[in-house]
Amino acid sequence: FMPESIESNKKKGPKHWAMFCLRWGIAIAGVWYVVAHMSLRDQARVILNHSTNRPQQVSLEKTVGENAAEYPVVDPDTGKTIEVPRQDVVNEPDQKTVLLSGHSEKSQLLGLDLLGDLDHHATASRLLVANSPTAAARWVPASDAPTYAVKIPHPRDQIGVDSMVRRARPSLLWAAIFVFPITFLVTSYRWNELLKALDIHIGQSRTFVLNMVGAFYNTFMPGSTGGDLLKAYYASKQTNHRARAVMSVIVDRVVGLLALIFVGGVTAGLQWEIPACRKVAVAALAVCGCVLVGLLVFYNPTLHRVSGLDFILKRLPMQKHVQPAVQALHMYGKRPMLGLWSLIVSLPVHAAVITSAMFSGMAFGLPLKWMYYWVAVPVIVLAGAIPISPQGAGVMEAFAVLLTRRQGVTVSQAFALTMSIRIVQILWNLTGGIFVLRGGYHAPTESQKKELETDEDEEPQPVAA
């Protein structure tokens, strides 16, 4: 395929290279942001200058407990280790300002002195406040801010990458790895049923092989959906109806994403008191509502006619793709319970993915409640499914930081969570390489991709076993 590959590269125009730069630009920007805010060593907010009383972020020589009498701080000026008493090491505040009694304007909140178990009902005994960005800070009793209550207790010792890795629990990491394979079994079964509904019968074993081959190529293609093109190509080689095979892959992917949105939306609704959960629940409800309306308009004859959808569909460009796709959707419409079944059978898939991520988070000591993983992980995985950067690099990290920082998770810990999700998936995706080597499956060339644009009545071409 070398000559054709060279020729296709010559044909790549400005649009292709613009998309290439956009994808890698997003990946590099996202990864740079995470790396710039990560730290190998543990960090702490320490008051070193008592004339201003303002805390600054410094590194710790080693990990210490929340109630340690002294903290081994690396002096940013000399690089030497100094022991700083606990009263000069502050907890990071969970908001920027606070209203003090007898004041009409809010003061800056620079730090807290927390008491009690940080995991359960931590309270502030003192608040470190300042009247302006340049004024000296001062400690005031928590009673001076009667409307303030600690929502997210941050520890004094903010764990760095080195401590997190050294303290990781291997048993939970192994559990995160071995709970994942159920996803391939269930998704293969789901896709095979969707194929049969379109009168494409390639068998459960062949469906499983193609699913694994697609997963293998997902490791190297932009986003986490690149292997779908390869699945569609090889499935189309098994049938006269190539367009139907392509639609089966698209519908399979959409069903999986909708089920993930449903899981995240429901669990977010159960945690409505958390602002981030409210946003996720509303967004999930909006997406599901739009899909439901779209299905009603498409399948209900009256709504279909009144909305003018048929008029629009017939005037869309690329009719040779549109009409077979519409035909395939009508075939699915004859089996409405198949859609509901596909959504239900997808739940164990997402449960396995979320549980795997939760085990990884627990192994690395992330301060997240188990139920919050069922909101954060679906959003992170959905972000990774957007095919705009290799393996969702930068995109997943950005969403992980946004969703977890208000829960006391550091950037380093958010990065560990996303890398765990990605690495576990990649490890199992690579097992699909066994079938690639055995069966001779390769990424389709440009001319082979064009075969998907036809739907000729010809005998199915055999594929290497």
Side-chain angles (χ1 to χ4, degrees):
F1 304 112
M2 185 65 71
E4 184 174 6
S5 176
I6 295 175
E7 184 180 354
S8 65
N9 283 331
K10 291 180 179 179
K11 294 180 180 178
K12 293 175 179 176
K15 182 178 178 181
H16 167 81
W17 292 112
M19 288 301 298
F20 177 85
C21 294
L22 175 63
R23 288 169 176 168
W24 281 99
I26 292 173
I28 293 171
V31 172
W32 174 85
Y33 173 83
V34 171
V35 172
H37 290 80
M38 285 174 54
S39 173
L40 290 176
R41 286 180 168 178
D42 289 15
Q43 300 278 307
R45 297 168 67 87
V46 179
I47 299 174
L48 295 177
N49 185 346
H50 288 88
S51 62
T52 62
N53 239 20
R54 285 180 168 269
Q56 59 187 99
Q57 194 88 354
V58 297
S59 297
L60 296 178
E61 179 64 30
K62 63 179 181 179
T63 301
V64 292
E66 176 68 18
N67 296 316
E70 293 183 325
Y71 286 72
V73 170
V74 178
D75 192 313
D77 294 327
T78 64
K80 296 181 180 180
T81 302
I82 57 175
E83 296 293 336
V84 177
R86 182 179 184 276
Q87 60 265 26
D88 289 337
V89 182
V90 306
N91 299 93
E92 181 182 353
D94 54 359
Q95 60 188 54
K96 295 182 179 180
T97 59
V98 65
L99 182 63
L100 300 177
S101 299
H103 290 68
S104 58
E105 295 183 358
K106 291 185 176 181
S107 301
Q108 278 190 306
L109 183 58
L110 303 177
L112 306 172
D113 182 8
L114 296 182
L115 300 175
D117 185 357
L118 296 190
D119 294 331
H120 302 91
H121 310 298
T123 58
S125 62
R126 298 185 299 167
L127 310 179
L128 185 62
V129 299
N131 293 334
S132 69
T134 57
R138 69 186 190 282
W139 286 105
V140 299
S143 57
D144 284 3
T147 60
Y148 173 75
V150 178
K151 299 179 182 66
I152 303 169
H154 294 274
R156 283 177 167 81
D157 184 344
Q158 300 171 19
I159 301 298
V161 175
D162 180 63
S163 297
M164 188 167 48
V165 172
R166 284 190 291 103
R167 296 166 60 185
R169 298 165 62 183
S171 59
L172 287 172
L173 292 176
W174 283 114
I177 293 173
F178 285 109
V179 77
F180 198 85
I182 190 176
T183 62
F184 298 109
L185 299 174
V186 177
T187 53
S188 298
Y189 178 49
R190 182 185 67 197
W191 183 34
N192 188 53
E193 293 301 311
L194 291 172
L195 283 167
K196 289 193 295 184
L198 299 178
D199 292 329
I200 300 175
H201 304 276
I202 65 176
Q204 183 63 64
S205 60
R206 180 56 58 88
T207 306
F208 175 76
V209 170
L210 293 182
N211 196 40
M212 293 303 299
V213 170
F216 175 77
Y217 280 99
N218 269 338
T219 307
F220 310 105
M221 294 184 177
S224 60
T225 59
D228 287 351
L229 174 64
L230 188 136
K231 286 169 57 178
Y233 171 73
Y234 281 108
S236 72
K237 305 294 284 184
Q238 313 293 306
T239 176
N240 303 351
H241 307 291
R242 294 171 181 169
R244 293 184 191 177
V246 174
M247 280 304 298
S248 73
V249 176
I250 295 174
V251 171
D252 179 68
R253 172 60 67 169
V254 170
V255 167
L257 293 178
L258 284 176
L260 187 60
I261 292 171
F262 176 79
V263 170
V266 170
T267 53
L270 295 175
Q271 303 172 78
W272 188 261
E273 70 280 1
I274 302 175
C277 290
R278 287 199 295 270
K279 295 178 181 178
V280 172
V282 171
L285 182 62
V287 171
C288 292
C290 290
V291 171
L292 182 59
V293 170
L295 291 174
L296 288 173
V297 171
F298 185 85
Y299 287 112
N300 185 281
T302 303
L303 294 176
H304 193 99
R305 183 180 64 257
V306 171
S307 65
L309 181 60
D310 193 51
F311 176 84
I312 296 173
L313 290 175
K314 288 181 179 180
R315 282 156 181 78
L316 288 175
M318 303 177 67
Q319 282 295 305
K320 63 180 180 180
H321 302 308
V322 173
Q323 292 306 318
V326 171
Q327 181 186 15
L329 290 176
H330 279 300
M331 293 180 70
Y332 281 128
K334 295 176 181 179
R335 298 182 58 185
M337 294 307 296
L338 177 63
L340 179 60
W341 173 87
S342 300
L343 286 171
I344 294 174
V345 81
S346 301
L347 299 181
V349 175
H350 302 312
V353 173
I354 296 169
T355 302
S356 174
M358 182 173 65
F359 283 152
S360 297
M362 293 168 62
F364 289 119
L366 270 65
L368 292 177
K369 296 180 180 178
W370 71 268
M371 199 169 180
Y372 193 78
Y373 283 98
W374 290 75
V375 177
V377 175
V379 176
I380 294 170
V381 172
L382 281 170
I386 303 173
I388 59 175
S389 67
Q391 282 297 314
V395 181
M396 292 176 66
E397 283 76 11
F399 275 89
V401 171
L402 288 173
L403 284 169
T404 61
R405 64 183 178 182
R406 295 289 297 171
Q407 307 302 312
V409 175
T410 65
V411 173
S412 299
Q413 290 174 322
F415 177 75
L417 178 62
T418 56
M419 287 304 298
S420 298
I421 295 171
R422 187 178 287 118
I423 290 174
V424 169
Q425 183 174 3
I426 289 175
L427 285 175
W428 286 107
N429 283 356
L430 290 176
T431 61
I434 299 171
F435 301 102
V436 174
L437 296 175
R438 278 185 66 246
Y441 297 98
H442 60 81
T445 62
E446 292 299 321
S447 62
Q448 290 172 328
K449 291 177 185 177
K450 291 180 180 179
E451 294 179 15
L452 295 176
E453 300 178 4
T454 64
D455 201 27
E456 301 173 355
D457 291 330
E458 57 186 27
E459 291 298 321
Q461 301 178 33
V463 177

